[in-house]
Amino acid sequence: MSGTFFSKKTFCIVTGASQGYGASLAEKFASLLPANSALLLLARNAEKLKGVIGDVTKFTLQIKDAEILDHAMKVNVTGAILVNTAFMECCAGTESMVIINVSSRAAIKPLSSWSIYCAGKAARYMFFQVVATEKEAVRVLNWGPGLLDTDMQARCRECADDAIRHNAIDAYEQGKLLSCEESADKLVIVLDRNDYKSGSHIDVYDV
């Protein structure tokens, strides 16, 4: 399945690797990376995941909890930027470098009652586009993994917006959610093709 992308010795960092999509990516990359590669897995404590996507039970004018807002932005934006900076400093001078930002349609489309999450994803999307602009030698992919059968989708089924909530429930009950493994396989295809414009957003459903 893999082509040239996984043919060279690689130092790979996967964040959010303890569960869900991050864990699937870690397993997939581990199975494809050649001998003498290094795979560094980073993860947060499961308890600290609460509040990370913001309060999706509220609309924009109902958001008043500064602590929830601040925590969501620190984890999703500040944390991502600092991890990226550390990675680029650590790997400076390497032959090639690829950054995959696990994005979402929420980064490019407003979703009612998901304002905090959308804002965080949009900020990350723009940040990594700037990285691609500044560093031509770095390949940057903003990857939309699709509707995955994870705990986050369970939150979608509880959100304040009626249409989004009903769509999420229908997708779950009708078996339309992607498994993390299916989405990871699609990502491997994109990486091996390597024909995307650096900094662009590619959705799993377009592969």
Side-chain angles (χ1 to χ4, degrees), residues 1-12 28-38 95-96 98 188 191-194:
M1 181 178 183
S2 63
T4 59
F5 183 83
F6 292 94
S7 63
K8 297 180 180 180
K9 183 172 70 173
T10 301
F11 173 50
C12 178
K28 175 60 64 175
F29 292 166
S31 71
L32 296 174
L33 291 173
N36 299 318
S37 293
E95 180 181 340
S96 61
V98 178
V188 169
L191 293 174
D192 274 339
R193 287 177 180 169
N194 196 32

Side-chain angles (χ1 to χ4, degrees), residues 7 13 15 33 74 76 82 93 115 128 158 161 186 206:
S7 63
I13 300 175
T15 61
L33 291 173
K74 279 184 177 179
N76 293 318
L82 295 180
S115 59
F128 284 107
E158 300 171 354
D161 186 85
K186 293 283 190 178
D206 297 325

Side-chain angles (χ1 to χ4, degrees), residues 79-90:
I81 292 174
L82 295 180
V83 167
N84 178 77
T85 300
F87 168 72
M88 294 186 70
E89 288 180 343
C90 174

Side-chain angles (χ1 to χ4, degrees), residues 27-181:
E27 292 176 4
K28 175 60 64 175
F29 292 166
S31 71
L32 296 174
L33 291 173
N36 299 318
S37 293
L39 183 61
L40 176 61
L41 308 181
L42 304 178
R44 295 183 292 268
N45 183 287
E47 187 65 25
K48 293 181 180 179
L49 290 173
K50 295 180 179 179
V52 171
I53 66 173
D55 189 349
V56 296
T57 65
K58 292 182 173 62
F59 295 103
T60 53
L61 297 183
Q62 297 173 312
I63 297 173
K64 301 177 181 178
D65 193 321
E67 185 176 352
I68 290 178
L69 178 60
D70 186 53
H71 179 64
M73 291 301 171
K74 279 184 177 179
V75 172
N76 293 318
V77 181
T78 307
I81 292 174
L82 295 180
V83 167
N84 178 77
T85 300
F87 168 72
M88 294 186 70
E89 288 180 343
C90 174
C91 298
T94 57
E95 180 181 340
S96 61
M97 188 182 303
V98 178
I99 298 172
I100 304 165
N101 171 39
V102 177
S103 189
S104 165
R105 65 173 179 150
I108 56 178
K109 178 181 179 180
L111 302 177
S112 177
S113 77
W114 283 76
S115 59
I116 295 177
Y117 183 73
C118 286
K121 285 294 186 181
R124 281 173 55 154
Y125 177 38
M126 182 54 69
F127 173 79
F128 284 107
Q129 287 186 89
V130 173
V131 172
T133 299
E134 293 178 345
K135 301 290 185 180
E136 293 184 2
V138 178
R139 298 283 286 155
V140 178
L141 172 63
N142 289 291
W143 171 247
L147 300 178
L148 303 178
D149 191 8
T150 62
D151 291 342
M152 182 175 166
Q153 271 300 308
R155 294 290 301 277
C156 284
R157 298 192 288 273
E158 300 171 354
C159 74
D161 186 85
D162 290 338
I164 294 177
R165 185 175 66 254
H166 291 154
N167 287 338
I169 292 173
D170 288 343
Y172 176 73
E173 294 180 345
Q174 296 173 21
K176 295 181 179 179
L177 299 179
L178 291 174
S179 70
C180 293
E181 293 74 19

